[in-house]
Amino acid sequence: MSFNDDAKLDSGRIRDSRGRGRGGKIAAGGGGIIVVLIAAILGINPDMLAQLGIGAGPDTEQGTTQNGPAAIEGCKTGADANARTDCRILATTQSLDSFWLDYLPQYNVAVERPGVQLFDGQVQTACGTASSAVGPFYCPGDRVAYFDTGFFAELSTNYGADGGPLAEEYVVAHEYGHHIQNTIGTLAASQQGGTGATSGSVRVEVQADCFAGMWAAHAATTKDAEGNTFMQPIRKADLQSALSAASAVGDDRIQKAASGRVNPQVWTHGSSAQRQAWFLQGYATGDINRCDTLSAGNLDKPGA
């Protein structure tokens, strides 16, 4: 899904800490270990917490890195977003802002924009220190979505996504969806039901997929501050790109690739089919009421 070349980007909308120092301290209370249950779009088992360098840790003195995050550079228009992954994250974020800040007030819900930060290697957050190994994630403790831009190449190279723009945009929309869940109160369900194909964690993840589909349905009508539409109408090829990304990060597909076996009892993010189905549910309906995965009787068949 391409951006219109004349769409205007706000380089101050997201922070960029790539290539900067990692010294100093940061508050590590608040969200704590919850990040593992809702964050890693790759579907990493929570038991891998220690290995991946994420932990709640003790509360520490508030501080910043020695070279703190700065505004992203060189991202001014939709043409830049079509050429660069980091600019595409920025432009997608602004399109998501436009959609959700306009959509939710009809339900008397006020939503604040989430923070968005680019990083490489590792990053300090209110949910602890995270490495690139966890993939993109949202931390409810500081209400920030974190992205290592190198993940998108791996999504295509190692996990089978087709590399189209909407595959990347879907990932950004999914993490933004966690912020919407944090706003409306459904995110807490990720702590319910342990693991498994119908666990609270899976229900939260596929709801974020449904929210991503809702944005995709409306993306071509979102506008920048000057009234220019951000994105061109979605094409069939764009939709296939998003579905390829949703499939690539299904628990069953990752388990199969890693061990040759599939064990639904330890799922935390849902199967490839479930993730695709709920993205399509959001895309087809554009209606948040049709994304009620928490009470859905059959996660395999949205609306059944």
Side-chain angles (χ1 to χ4, degrees):
M1 193 169 188
S2 299
F3 291 88
N4 291 317
D5 287 347
D6 58 353
K8 299 299 187 293
L9 305 186
D10 175 10
S11 62
R13 174 63 184 90
I14 66 177
R15 298 177 294 171
D16 188 359
S17 61
R18 293 173 297 171
R20 298 180 183 272
R22 299 190 179 101
K25 300 178 180 179
I26 191 168
I33 202 169
I34 190 175
V35 68
V36 181
L37 296 179
I38 66 171
I41 198 171
L42 292 177
I44 296 172
N45 191 306
D47 291 338
M48 296 177 67
L49 174 66
Q51 299 176 43
L52 297 176
I54 297 182
D59 289 338
T60 60
E61 180 182 344
Q62 178 69 35
T64 61
T65 58
Q66 293 175 352
N67 297 295
I72 193 170
E73 297 180 356
C75 298
K76 298 180 179 179
T77 68
D80 297 323
N82 289 329
R84 289 173 45 180
T85 294
D86 52 358
C87 298
R88 191 151 44 248
I89 293 172
L90 169 60
T92 304
T93 297
Q94 289 187 237
S95 176
L96 285 156
D97 290 340
S98 176
F99 169 61
W100 284 110
L101 270 65
D102 181 66
Y103 183 86
L104 284 180
Q106 67 182 299
Y107 297 105
N108 297 315
V109 175
V111 57
E112 296 181 358
R113 303 183 310 175
V116 176
Q117 183 170 331
L118 307 183
F119 74 99
D120 55 15
Q122 67 178 36
V123 65
Q124 293 175 313
T125 82
C127 298
T129 300
S131 75
S132 297
V134 304
F137 65 95
Y138 172 74
C139 172
D142 54 23
R143 303 172 74 88
V144 175
Y146 293 88
F147 299 92
D148 183 333
T149 54
F151 166 80
F152 296 102
E154 289 207 13
L155 186 64
S156 176
T157 303
N158 297 331
Y159 294 94
D162 70 6
L166 195 56
E168 298 181 5
E169 294 151 13
Y170 151 77
V171 174
V172 179
H174 174 95
E175 299 305 334
Y176 201 112
H178 284 316
H179 177 70
I180 299 303
Q181 292 172 317
N182 199 22
T183 299
I184 65 177
T186 61
L187 187 58
S190 64
Q191 299 288 282
Q192 302 169 3
T195 63
T198 61
S199 64
S201 179
V202 168
R203 291 178 184 276
V204 164
E205 292 299 331
V206 296
Q207 184 178 67
D209 288 330
C210 194
F211 289 174
M214 284 178 58
W215 163 77
H218 296 278
T221 65
T222 60
K223 296 181 179 181
D224 65 20
E226 297 183 7
N228 304 303
T229 54
F230 278 111
M231 310 190 78
Q232 298 174 8
I234 193 169
R235 304 167 301 168
K236 184 176 181 180
D238 296 321
L239 189 59
Q240 288 302 316
S241 289
L243 292 174
S244 74
S247 175
V249 293
D251 283 326
D252 54 339
R253 183 164 181 172
I254 292 174
Q255 287 178 338
K256 184 75 172 179
S259 66
R261 296 178 296 175
V262 174
N263 181 6
Q265 293 182 351
V266 297
W267 286 0
T268 58
H269 285 61
S271 69
S272 294
Q274 288 172 334
R275 304 197 70 167
Q276 288 182 318
W278 283 101
F279 175 85
L280 286 174
Q281 171 79 347
Y283 179 73
T285 67
D287 182 358
I288 198 169
N289 297 297
R290 304 292 294 276
C291 292
D292 183 11
T293 61
L294 303 190
S295 62
N298 187 347
L299 290 179
D300 295 330
K301 296 181 179 180

